[in-house]
Amino acid sequence: MRLQKTKTVPVRRRAAARRSKMSAGVDSMFRVFADHTRLRILRLLQDGPLCVGDLVDILRAPQPTVSRHLAYLRRSGFVEARQHGLWMFYELVPAQSALHSKLLECLAVCARLLPKVKADVGLARSVRRSGGCCPEGRRLMEQFQHGRGR
């Protein structure tokens, strides 16, 4: 039996890879909204950056749990981290696409449906007024924000 040579046709792998990457990004963005803790974190960060210690205190969740959710939010493109000395601050990333923008708009509606969010926001206000767990880092972060034009 003799094998017949066939002509190979180039596959558009780049376009397929790009579509796959985009759909993975869309999937991860929607997964962010499928978790109460991540929604609570996003809502808290809408009012400004917070450090991990403050988020742990506000959410009353274990530090590894909060850190895991923050890592997911970073990978999905919603949150970025800034380190100032010993402190790591997290803040919302400005919308990078129309979908990202619409999801941030939806956050207000989603957050209203979660009973813990109102208490979280009130607690976050008092934490911010008191300076939180890392006041020196907070001053540095505020300087950074003013330099960014926020």
Side-chain angles (χ1 to χ4, degrees):
M1 183 173 194
R2 189 172 161 205
L3 292 177
Q4 203 175 24
K5 284 190 176 181
T6 58
K7 186 177 179 182
T8 59
V9 179
V11 177
R12 294 191 171 239
R13 291 183 186 178
R14 286 186 186 139
R18 201 175 317 120
R19 274 193 305 271
S20 174
K21 188 176 179 181
M22 284 175 57
S23 68
V26 171
D27 290 350
S28 100
M29 290 178 100
F30 279 106
R31 281 190 204 113
V32 164
F33 281 73
D35 184 88
H36 289 205
T37 303
R38 289 193 286 263
L39 284 171
R40 291 171 68 195
I41 291 171
L42 286 175
R43 174 56 193 94
L44 290 169
L45 295 179
Q46 277 187 316
D47 295 335
L50 286 167
C51 72
V52 176
D54 290 339
L55 286 167
V56 165
D57 290 343
I58 294 165
L59 297 171
R60 292 183 175 88
Q63 184 273 326
T65 299
V66 172
S67 291
R68 188 187 69 227
H69 285 294
L70 287 166
Y72 192 91
L73 290 168
R74 285 177 71 187
R75 285 191 308 270
S76 66
F78 279 97
V79 169
E80 68 182 0
R82 301 263 180 216
Q83 186 166 358
H84 293 287
L86 300 174
W87 300 287
M88 185 68 78
F89 285 86
Y90 290 86
E91 63 182 333
L92 286 182
V93 172
Q96 304 296 311
S97 67
L99 174 63
H100 189 173
S101 177
K102 289 296 181 187
L103 287 173
L104 288 175
E105 286 177 29
C106 289
L107 180 58
V109 175
C110 293
R112 273 188 247 129
L113 299 174
L114 298 173
K116 293 181 179 179
V117 171
K118 189 174 183 178
D120 290 345
V121 171
L123 191 52
R125 280 191 194 118
S126 66
V127 165
R128 283 185 169 102
R129 271 194 303 268
S130 71
C133 68
C134 39
E136 181 184 326
R138 182 163 316 286
R139 280 195 301 277
L140 291 170
M141 194 63 191
E142 287 170 359
Q143 291 171 358
F144 170 74
Q145 279 186 298
H146 291 300
R148 226 179 167 182
R150 284 189 175 181

